[in-house]
Amino acid sequence: MDALFLPLADAVGASVDQIKLISCLLIAYPLGSIFVRIPSSQPTLRHLFSVAVALFFFFPVLKLYQGFFQLLASILGTYFLAAYDKSYRMPWLVFVFVMGHLTVNHVIRAIYGLSYETMEITGPQMVLTMKLTTFAWNVWDGRRATAELDKWQTEKRIVEYPSIVEFLGYAFYFPGILVGPYLDFQEYRSLVNETVFNDDKVKEKAKGGRKLPSGRKRIAYGKMVMGLIYLGIYVVLGGQNNFSTALTPWFMEHNLFVRIFLFQLYGFLERSKYYAIWTLTEGASIVTGLGFTGFNAAGKSTWTGAANVKVLEIEVPSNFKVLLDCWNMKTNVWLRECVYKRVTPKGKKPGFKSSMITFFTSAFWHGIASGYYLTFLMGGFITTAARLARNNIRPLLLSAPGKEQSDMKELYDIAGTALSTLILNYAASPFMILSATDSFTVWSRLGWYGHIVIFGGLFFFYAGGSRYFQKLQAQAGIAPTKKPVKTESPNGSAPGSGVSTPAEQKVFTVPPHFDEIIPPKK
């Protein structure tokens, strides 16, 4: 089957594996239309259809024979372990089992030096790891009293254990098997049975006696078009313009300011490949009915539940935290619900220890490349500096209620957006370059501007800047900035109690704020 993909790969200058992956994502669109035409009264047929499509992807197209059986081993191991181990240890045993398996493959990938252009099993396995560990926790929650659960756990708990066919359908849900999106078992079950559409408003909007509300295909194929646009941008411009270009002699022929400017362009081009695959797979999932979130004020159906990225908020962020919140959003949900909350002892609130365990889990889940850890650790310092700036400077620029925004506040917002983008591209480069040595070389060729801004800012606030701005706030009659109220109840609180992760703790791919450990002097 490679003969079908070789001409296109040669024409666009991409690897055959990349062409195969994109082809699978595009094939999922018409297959999704077939999926929804299988009667919901025949859920077994829908499960088998997902498995059949996954087999088609892995065998004749991608030729990941060994990889498929590795995924199957993790799936079956999780299924029987969760079914027969009734102890509280079960979710942790599943977690160690699938994460350990993933880590072994990350090591193998590193040993053989496989680039992202090579399609191998760790990508699908990362998605599957989220699904299997979430399933294990949902099963365990189904065996606990509801009084011990929070709102999310109550909604997602599994009381009726699935058949092996239903579980295979969930694990091999075809639009998301290769690159996501990750979904929990109850989402899949309600999708297959179409109970997610059991609403009077949905019935009013549905056409032709079908349960699915209208507007689904319009949104889905709009996502496909956008995904192809991002892909085209990457194919045409990204091949010779990426973070690794900073390692070439040509890059050093330019002065520092030109190098920094070019690096910002490289950042968008690097991210465009992620925008492409995540947007394409989101659209394919919407075709099957996943991601329905109700209706907007105009009465049109909305389908944002399968999104994994918000491009505009990332490229033009109001601040760095908003940027992080909008990247790889499904992974953040998994880390919050299956690690952060679970490592917290019953009756206690999550704290620094829970945050650090969650951060290291995220790091190992991504892989073992040293560049990953440079990016993640740098992120901890960035979020700390950003929060100190926001708490100390922003209150002085806010206008009184009912008055227009001041010019200084507008300048502050513009500077915040520009600085967030500059820092993002600087800090994210090791994640793409992978090697710590090469990453340090790139940073040095950029004049270490990210380190100067972040650590210079931290030094300023810790050396007395925080105290100075708090005095200015006091003189202006501004109430001291308080930490956001944590709505988290102790682990194990009752449903409906408003349990949620506090706003400042929603990003789990970077370490917790360092000012929580050593706060600046007041």
Side-chain angles (χ1 to χ4, degrees), residues 316-383:
V316 191
S318 58
N319 57 64
F320 198 77
K321 184 188 178 302
V322 167
L323 186 156
L324 292 176
D325 285 341
C326 297
W327 175 266
N328 209 355
M329 298 183 295
K330 294 293 185 180
T331 299
N332 217 32
V333 172
W334 171 66
L335 290 170
R336 181 185 69 222
E337 300 298 339
C338 296
V339 185
Y340 181 68
K341 290 182 179 180
R342 307 296 182 168
V343 298
T344 304
K346 184 178 179 180
K348 295 186 178 181
K349 295 181 180 180
F352 177 75
K353 181 179 179 181
S354 300
S355 297
M356 286 303 297
I357 292 173
T358 308
F359 159 67
F360 281 111
T361 300
S362 170
F364 278 106
W365 176 79
H366 279 89
I368 64 169
S370 54
Y372 293 154
Y373 296 86
L374 283 180
T375 292
F376 295 147
L377 288 171
M378 187 70 177
F381 292 106
I382 293 169
T383 54

Side-chain angles (χ1 to χ4, degrees), residues 396-462:
L396 295 168
L397 305 176
L398 294 175
S399 301
K403 292 188 177 182
E404 292 185 5
Q405 184 171 270
S406 68
D407 292 340
M408 289 300 295
K409 176 59 169 57
E410 290 184 1
L411 289 173
Y412 171 86
D413 291 340
I414 293 171
T417 296
L419 199 57
S420 295
T421 302
L422 284 165
I423 295 301
L424 164 66
N425 292 321
Y426 182 89
S429 58
F431 191 93
M432 309 293 186
I433 295 170
L434 300 180
S435 164
T437 302
D438 288 344
S439 298
F440 285 128
T441 300
V442 169
W443 279 346
S444 69
R445 293 184 173 190
L446 295 171
W448 301 96
Y449 78 81
H451 284 79
I452 292 171
V453 171
I454 297 305
F455 289 99
L458 289 173
F459 176 80
F460 170 77
F461 286 116
Y462 275 86

Side-chain angles (χ1 to χ4, degrees), residues 97-114:
F97 170 55
V98 296
M99 274 292 289
H101 187 188
L102 174 62
T103 302
V104 168
N105 282 333
H106 276 318
V107 172
I108 293 172
R109 181 185 180 101
I111 290 173
Y112 285 96
L114 300 177

Side-chain angles (χ1 to χ4, degrees), residues 246-305:
L247 295 167
T248 64
W250 173 85
F251 189 75
M252 291 303 294
E253 293 175 3
H254 304 84
N255 65 50
L256 177 61
F257 294 105
V258 172
R259 294 200 298 267
I260 292 175
F261 173 76
L262 290 172
F263 209 70
Q264 311 316 306
L265 301 179
Y266 299 161
F268 170 73
L269 294 174
E270 286 274 20
R271 289 187 293 278
S272 64
K273 62 177 177 283
Y274 293 99
Y275 296 157
I277 60 173
W278 282 340
T279 304
L280 286 173
T281 193
E282 179 189 354
S285 300
I286 292 172
V287 173
T288 67
L290 184 68
F292 175 65
T293 50
F295 299 91
N296 60 21
K300 294 184 177 180
S301 59
T302 58
W303 301 81
T304 58

Side-chain angles (χ1 to χ4, degrees), residues 182-251:
Y182 140 81
L183 73 165
D184 60 70
F185 183 78
Q186 292 292 23
E187 280 183 289
Y188 174 76
R189 179 174 273 176
S190 65
L191 170 68
V192 169
N193 298 326
E194 294 188 345
T195 54
V196 67
F197 306 116
N198 287 345
D199 184 271
D200 290 338
K201 186 174 288 188
V202 173
K203 293 176 183 177
E204 292 174 7
K205 301 288 183 180
K207 294 181 179 179
R210 299 178 64 186
K211 288 186 177 180
L212 276 71
S214 60
R216 185 186 88 260
K217 286 187 177 181
R218 172 178 53 82
I219 299 293
Y221 282 93
K223 296 290 182 182
M224 185 187 76
V225 171
M226 285 305 304
L228 291 174
I229 290 173
Y230 292 132
L231 182 64
I233 291 172
Y234 176 70
V235 169
V236 174
L237 301 174
Q240 301 298 321
N241 299 283
N242 51 61
F243 287 145
S244 295
T245 306
L247 295 167
T248 64
W250 173 85
F251 189 75

